[in-house]
Structures are given as C-alpha cells and as structure tokens.
Amino acid sequence: MTIEVSTTERIDIVDITSEVAEAVPADVSHGACLVFVSHTTAGVILNENEHRLLNDIIQAVDNLVPADEDYEHDVIDDNAAAHLQAMILGESVTVPIVDGELDLGRWQSVLFVECDGPRTRRVSVTVIEG
Ligand code: ZN
C-alpha cells in the first residue's frame, strides 16, 4: 500500500501513524510493518509528535547539514543538503505488529520528514505476517 504525503515547508514533518496503522490488514495479528520512503531527499523516523519537539527536530536537521554550505551536487539541482539530511534520517522504519496493532511505544509516532519541500511524496507500507 502507498501513502501520499504533502508538505508545505522546505523541511517539514508529517505524522503518518494513523495512515500506516490503516494499512495493516485486519487479518494480520502478528508480524512487522515496513514503512519505506522511496525518495532521496526525504526520510521517516519514529519519535514523539509534540509540536515544540517537531520544531527542534527541524532545527537539528538544518543545523546538522546547513543548506547554505558549498556542496558539489548543488550544481545539478541545488539540493545537496536535502540528500545529506535524508541520509542521516534514514529511508525506512519497521514497527512490530502485536495483536493486530502497531506496537509503538507510548510516545512514538511514525513521522515522515521532508527535506526538500514543499512536495507531494509516496511512502510505501509493507506488512510481513509472522
Ligand atoms: Zn539532487
């Protein structure tokens, strides 16, 4: 299954936990849910959806790889920082499925992180039963 995610900022975070949960078929009680971002300038993480923390994450991503540095890839499409930020975040997370539910920690949400927005992206959700 594919989830479509739209953003409004260059670096932006969208909580996709409910969409991921809906992608788990009702007849799967135990297994794993793989959330995969098939892009090179966006990532996905597990963390707390608290609006001040989301701002902190955006700031940290920007600080780790500042957009205004001189990168070689920028001569092609001026988004080298976004590639490097996405590399640090990672392109996938795996969440256990227990008793038919995503077995997330109390404060964990599945957060899509755009690094080269605003854009509309595709996130795939693959459920492995077992
Ligand atoms: Zn690029």
Side-chain angles (χ1 to χ4, degrees), residues 10 65-68 71 73-74 78-86 115:
R10 182 174 63 86
V65 187
D68 58 0
Y71 303 104
H73 178 74
D74 282 345
D78 201 28
N79 68 352
H83 286 279
L84 299 171
Q85 291 161 348
C115 299

Side-chain angles (χ1 to χ4, degrees), residues 12 30 59 89 94 111 130:
D12 209 348
H30 288 78
Q59 192 63 57
L89 294 167
T94 305
L111 304 174

Side-chain angles (χ1 to χ4, degrees), residues 16-18 20-22 24 33 95-98 100-105 110:
I16 58 171
T17 309
S18 59
V20 172
E22 284 168 19
V24 178
C33 181
V95 182
I97 299 167
V98 176
E101 306 282 340
L102 295 177
D103 194 28
L104 290 164
V110 183

Side-chain angles (χ1 to χ4, degrees), residues 10-125:
R10 182 174 63 86
I11 301 177
D12 209 348
I13 300 177
V14 179
D15 189 331
I16 58 171
T17 309
S18 59
E19 289 87 348
V20 172
E22 284 168 19
V24 178
D27 61 344
V28 175
S29 64
H30 288 78
C33 181
L34 171 68
V35 182
F36 177 78
V37 175
S38 56
H39 301 282
T40 58
T41 55
V44 64
I45 60 173
L46 298 178
N47 219 298
E48 181 178 356
N49 183 1
E50 190 282 315
H51 73 276
R52 286 158 295 217
L53 178 64
L54 299 184
N55 289 335
D56 291 337
I57 293 170
I58 290 169
Q59 192 63 57
V61 167
D62 215 19
N63 290 345
L64 282 169
V65 187
D68 58 0
E69 292 287 322
D70 189 20
Y71 303 104
E72 289 191 26
H73 178 74
D74 282 345
V75 300
I76 297 173
D77 55 6
D78 201 28
N79 68 352
H83 286 279
L84 299 171
Q85 291 161 348
M87 176 188 75
I88 290 168
L89 294 167
E91 74 296 320
S92 66
V93 297
T94 305
V95 182
I97 299 167
V98 176
D99 296 330
E101 306 282 340
L102 295 177
D103 194 28
L104 290 164
R106 180 175 177 190
W107 302 110
Q108 284 183 318
S109 292
V110 183
L111 304 174
F112 170 85
V113 186
E114 174 63 65
C115 299
D116 193 25
R119 289 185 189 222
T120 299
R121 305 283 207 166
R122 290 184 319 109
V123 179
S124 72
V125 179

